[in-house]
Structure formats: C-alpha cells, structure tokens
Amino acid sequence: MGLFEQISEDIKKAMLARNHAETEALRGIKKELLEAKTAKGGSGEVTDEVAIKIIQKMKKQGEDAIEMFKSQNRQDLVDEYQNQIEIYKRYLPEMMGEEEIEKVVRAVAEQVGAKSMQEMGKVMGVVTKQLAGKAEGRVISSIVKKVLG
C-alpha cells in the first residue's frame, strides 16, 4: 500500500475515532497530494518519493508557523501546529543523525575530490540527492561547511 492509500485509510480511522485534529491534518496532506496528482504536467500518480517531499514541505511550513506564533504569544496555535507536525512525522522516514550525515559528506567529498569551500556546491548536490528525505538541507549544509572548512 502506497503512502496515498495509507493516508486515505488513516483518515477513515481518525473519523471513526472522532479525532477532529488528526482528521483535519490528514485531510490537509491528502489535499496536497491530490493537487500534485492533478497538477498540470503531472503524471496522474503520486509516488511515495513525491508524497514524502510534499509532507516534508508541510512539516517545514508548520515549523515556520510555530516560530511566528511563539513570537506572538499564541500558545493555542503553537500547540495546534505541533500536533499537526507529529502527525506528519508518522509518514516521513527516520531522519539521520549528524554523525551518519558527516560520514556520507566525507565519502562524497573524497569521491568528487572536494578540498575547499569553493567546491561546496559539488558536494551539496550529490549529498542532497543521496539523503533526500533522510536529512534536512540546513543540517547537510552546516556539516558540509564543517568538513570543507
């Protein structure tokens, strides 16, 4: 069962359990996936890789909203977005630790022959593709800077 089908099933379960917050978060995910499925130039299918990217984007937007609402002292909205993020995390792969990321970065830097910060782009391109969905870009970037710096 693909991610799209799993989310559809989980919406039904959340509705039966009368869990309004979970139902709304899952409906939000499904809406984004349906939009990607029917987007102009789309294939009519949403692969798990595309679904993961969409859910990661939604998680990031939620984290940004939390920061904004914290600065405005809106704890009610902070809690709401934190609950949504916890639901999004269920469908995302486990994130790698910094030590694991650093091993990959060092291997790629050696592979492409990068020795200085001028070659950061080469390393970032390869590492970002390898770790897609497993590590955040800002974490990868800081580790690449540390390794090449």
Side-chain angles (χ1 to χ4, degrees):
M1 178 184 313
L3 213 48
F4 184 82
E5 292 82 15
Q6 181 64 47
I7 290 169
S8 296
E9 286 298 312
D10 290 348
I11 289 173
K12 292 175 191 173
K13 291 176 187 173
M15 288 172 68
L16 288 172
R18 298 190 189 280
N19 187 337
H20 182 71
E22 186 172 345
T23 303
E24 290 305 308
L26 292 171
R27 282 182 175 164
I29 295 171
K30 187 170 181 179
K31 175 187 148 298
E32 292 293 328
L33 296 179
L34 284 171
E35 286 177 4
K37 198 175 197 178
T38 59
K40 191 173 186 176
S43 64
E45 282 297 314
V46 176
T47 63
D48 284 354
E49 293 81 28
V50 171
I52 287 171
K53 285 182 183 178
I54 291 169
I55 296 170
Q56 282 177 326
K57 180 181 168 194
M58 293 175 74
K59 178 180 167 267
K60 175 75 171 109
Q61 289 172 340
E63 290 167 347
D64 293 344
I66 286 173
E67 292 306 312
M68 182 181 68
F69 291 133
K70 279 184 180 177
S71 69
Q72 297 174 353
N73 294 325
R74 291 293 311 267
Q75 192 58 41
D76 56 328
L77 295 173
V78 169
D79 294 341
E80 183 180 325
Y81 277 93
Q82 284 176 333
N83 290 337
Q84 286 180 6
I85 288 171
E86 289 305 312
I87 293 167
Y88 300 157
K89 285 181 181 177
R90 291 187 214 160
Y91 302 99
L92 296 173
E94 192 67 35
M95 294 302 227
M96 293 175 69
E98 288 191 22
E99 303 82 33
E100 296 170 291
I101 296 170
E102 188 170 337
K103 287 179 187 174
V104 173
V105 169
R106 289 190 186 282
V108 169
E110 196 172 296
Q111 176 187 343
V112 298
K115 304 253 187 276
S116 66
M117 287 299 289
Q118 283 78 17
E119 299 162 306
M120 182 177 173
K122 290 182 191 175
V123 177
M124 280 296 294
V126 176
V127 173
T128 303
K129 284 180 185 169
Q130 280 186 9
L131 302 182
K134 299 176 189 168
E136 291 182 15
R138 63 180 171 78
V139 175
I140 295 171
S141 176
S142 68
I143 292 173
V144 169
K145 286 176 184 172
K146 182 174 108 179
V147 169
L148 295 179

